[in-house]
Amino acid sequence: MTFVFTPWYFVMALLLAGIVACIVVFIKMDKKDRELIGQFVKESQEAPKASEVKDEPKVEEKVETKETTDNN
């Protein structure tokens, strides 16, 4: 019931502080995201492309099975 009896300017001040806090958090997140995206793009450009990588001969593994039959 305290919320009902408080003057309206206290409530408005709390709401305004919450909005400002959300804006600050979103701005900081955006800056960090831009840094991470830039770092990812930079690393992906430095990595060798799939077309440039030489194809190594693939070794095929053959699994030999031995079938046993019972002649009873």
Side-chain angles (χ1 to χ4, degrees):
M1 295 304 276
T2 306
F3 181 76
V4 175
F5 295 115
T6 56
W8 64 271
Y9 47 88
F10 287 140
V11 174
M12 293 303 290
L14 288 174
L15 291 175
L16 185 63
I19 292 170
V20 169
C22 286
I23 291 172
V24 168
V25 168
F26 289 146
I27 290 172
K28 286 187 175 187
M29 284 176 29
D30 185 52
K31 286 182 181 178
K32 186 65 177 177
D33 285 344
R34 288 177 191 256
E35 290 175 13
L36 290 173
I37 291 170
Q39 184 180 19
F40 175 77
V41 169
K42 182 180 175 184
E43 289 177 1
S44 66
Q45 290 175 349
E46 291 175 358
K49 295 179 181 176
S51 62
E52 295 176 357
V53 177
K54 294 182 180 178
D55 292 333
E56 295 181 6
K58 294 181 181 178
V59 178
E60 294 182 16
E61 295 182 13
K62 295 183 180 178
V63 178
E64 295 181 14
T65 59
K66 185 176 182 181
E67 296 180 7
T68 59
T69 57
D70 292 330
N71 295 327
N72 291 339

